[in-house]
Amino acid sequence: MDQVFINIIALMALSVFLVWCFKRAGLPAILAYLFVGVMAGPEVLSLYNDPEQMHLLAEVGIVFLLFSLGLEFSLPKLIAMRNLVFGVGAGQMLLTTAIFAGIALLFGQSISTSIIIGGMVALSSTAIVIKQIDDAGRLNTPRSQMAVSILLFQDLAVVPFLIAIPLLAAGSEQSVGFALLMALLKGVVVVVLLLSVGRWLLPRIFNEVARTRTDELFVLTTILVALLAAGTTYAFGLSMALGAFLAGMMLSESQYRHQLEADIRPFRDILMGLFFITVGMKLELNVFIFEFHWVLLGLVVMVVLKTLVVSLSAFIAQQSKQDAWAAGMKLAQMGEFSFVIAALAAQNELISSQQSSMIISVGLLSMAITPWLINMSGKFAQWIAPNKDIEDISAEIIQSEDKDLANHVLILGFGRVGQSVARMLKLEGIEYVALDFDPVRVHESRSAGQNVMFGDVAQRDMLKSAGIANAQLALITFDHHDKALRVVNAITDLRPGLPVVVRTRKDYLSDDFYSAGASQVVPEMQEGSLMLVSQVLHYAGVPMSRILKRVRNERKKGYQHMHGFFPGETTEISYGTKDKLEFIHAVSISNGAFAVNKTIKELDIERRKVRVTGLRRNNKEIEDPNADTLIFANDVLVISGKPRRVERIEHFLLYGK
């Protein structure tokens, strides 16, 4: 037991050190985890001689990854993508398997062995590809959706291989066709079962869990749902990842979607790292070193042929040529399920241990270069299948870089808000440069004479191209909290001290932006309410000078009088906002209450991050009572704060604890 604990500590220390080294060198963490696996494996440090000791725990990482992916989809969206999943995905799987099976036959392998090898090479890495494009914020682009669709079909295609391998082994008397038919029927049953349960039961469960206002219960329920769905499909002989994906998809339209993803992310990322470590442990260094020339040749052939096959399948399905080439390059590696198939095939003596090691070596090397392939896929696709509109926009970007941009406003996001700001700036004769990632919008805007550049606002090179070094102000107009936060961090790194104005819908997100370095955060809800109040006061006869003074004071004090609300029976609060919104609550101080005959200062209410906004005594209201105000029996104390703090302070006022 002591040695196991020491090995765990050593593995964690090695992981922390190597991930830090790789990130400092600008390399993705995935490569670090693969290297950790090689170092901790049986051929170097021998911390774990058998990677299967951690296989189940690592596979849970894939389950959580697919659950998170399912949250990005909905059933109507998946139905709309059926041409990609069962068109491009099926075409890629069949063509790639056939081509590499043919190559294996040319090298003298049997038909069974050739089919298995072809199937292993045809699979791509769901874990690496989705994580990379998700981290880059490009999961919803057409080419990424095409890649995800192909990966989904590949996950489905794993099942027939896992069933067929034992049956293809020598001495099997059972019909392969019958076994696959039974697997298909079981698949239909389990998918219908999970979709039915997920659609009608899961939202009700999470509604009840959310009402308990307990963080731990919500997280625990999320993990349980993902594992139960995965276990259900596994019990039917299907992929665990498929069940997790279906469960996530059923919850994708619920109000808890973002909180579910936030809860699952820490577990997912840690366990995914463990998965890549177990993959690295499977590498046999003697095969990798002494047969490296064949490994390298196999890698080049696989990357080229898989890119061509994915592109061809997409062409046949009448998809965009540029998206097809980009998706093909993203999926040019071997997948994690290839290692599972290789282990099962070696166990059933369909392939030799030497062949298995060669395939794993090629697969690991292909996974190692995948981050680079994904990053280069866009440029490669633009080069091999140029798009005239995009070329025109890119040319305009280069021209914009040559211009001397100075003292201009940088508008990041050119939607309705960005366009409205641009019109007002133009009326005042103030120069601006806008950045947007929608090629149609950029093309239309530039045709109308607007100074708009095509590019991702989160990329530092694009910020430099837009002249951030000489800008007088940066304005973030889009309402995407995580991405906007990344942009604020990028701006403050590139140009410390530059005023940054951020638009957000809700004021409880403002602190994140201020902490990142934003100069001003404009919450739409509060500003809209201020304008509405201004109109009401104006029609009520309040002088305009007093209205303007009131508005200025509210902004200066952080919208103090606009925070909090009295909740009602029909008030719905999502789990993700329950500790961000503020409630106003009236506490009746009864005879014998702890707070009786004590001042507000003595009770130290402010330290508990709750504000006293009013006091009612004998049906008369005392607004903003001072700290020396004495509280009497039968007083009504009006407090404002986050729900849990309000509950705790009420209990304290009444009972003293």
Side-chain angles (χ1 to χ4, degrees), residues 200-212:
W200 302 109
L201 185 61
L202 288 185
R204 290 171 172 80
I205 290 175
F206 279 99
N207 283 337
E208 291 300 322
V209 171
R211 288 194 183 100
T212 66

Side-chain angles (χ1 to χ4, degrees), residues 161-374:
F161 277 101
L162 296 179
I163 295 171
I165 287 173
L167 302 178
L168 290 172
S172 177
E173 298 177 357
Q174 188 177 357
S175 168
V176 175
F178 177 75
L180 293 178
L181 178 62
M182 290 302 296
L184 177 62
L185 292 176
K186 287 192 290 185
V188 172
V189 170
V190 73
V191 168
V192 171
L193 175 65
L194 284 177
L195 291 180
S196 302
V197 171
R199 191 172 186 84
W200 302 109
L201 185 61
L202 288 185
R204 290 171 172 80
I205 290 175
F206 279 99
N207 283 337
E208 291 300 322
V209 171
R211 288 194 183 100
T212 66
R213 307 285 197 271
T214 306
D215 296 347
E216 295 83 357
L217 183 59
F218 199 92
V219 175
L220 187 61
T221 306
T222 303
I223 296 173
L224 179 63
V225 166
L227 294 179
L228 277 177
T232 301
T233 50
Y234 182 75
F236 279 81
L238 304 174
S239 166
M240 293 176 68
L242 176 62
F245 173 80
L246 292 173
M249 191 175 67
M250 288 302 95
L251 290 165
S252 63
E253 297 180 12
S254 74
Q255 60 182 327
Y256 309 114
R257 166 189 162 190
H258 297 292
Q259 186 62 45
L260 289 166
E261 188 174 9
D263 286 339
I264 212 75
R265 183 179 293 273
F267 300 96
R268 183 195 74 184
D269 291 346
I270 292 172
L271 292 174
M272 282 305 302
L274 183 59
F275 167 77
F276 292 120
I277 289 174
T278 60
V279 171
M281 287 181 179
K282 295 178 181 179
L283 179 66
E284 293 186 16
L285 289 179
N286 60 331
V287 173
F288 183 79
I289 294 172
F290 296 110
E291 304 290 342
F292 183 74
H293 55 292
W294 290 113
V295 172
L296 194 60
L297 177 62
L299 174 68
V300 173
V301 171
M302 183 183 71
V303 169
V304 171
L305 288 182
K306 288 191 74 172
T307 302
L308 290 172
V309 169
V310 172
S311 304
L312 177 61
S313 302
F315 295 159
I316 294 173
Q318 299 181 337
Q319 299 297 315
S320 162
K321 290 183 179 180
Q322 196 174 97
D323 290 344
W325 284 109
M329 201 166 176
K330 284 182 172 71
L331 301 176
Q333 75 292 129
M334 202 177 292
E336 50 271 358
F337 286 114
S338 301
F339 304 134
V340 177
I341 293 176
L344 186 61
Q347 181 182 342
N348 286 273
E349 299 181 352
L350 285 172
I351 60 174
S352 65
S353 59
Q354 177 78 6
Q355 291 171 329
S356 176
S357 298
M358 282 287 294
I359 292 170
I360 289 175
S361 298
V362 173
L364 283 175
L365 205 56
S366 70
M367 285 182 167
I369 66 170
T370 295
W372 179 81
L373 291 174
I374 292 175

Side-chain angles (χ1 to χ4, degrees), residues 565-567 583-587 637-640 646 650:
F565 63 95
F566 295 104
F583 280 177
I584 300 175
H585 181 53
V587 182
L637 200 63
V638 183
I639 57 177
S640 175
V646 168
E650 179 179 23

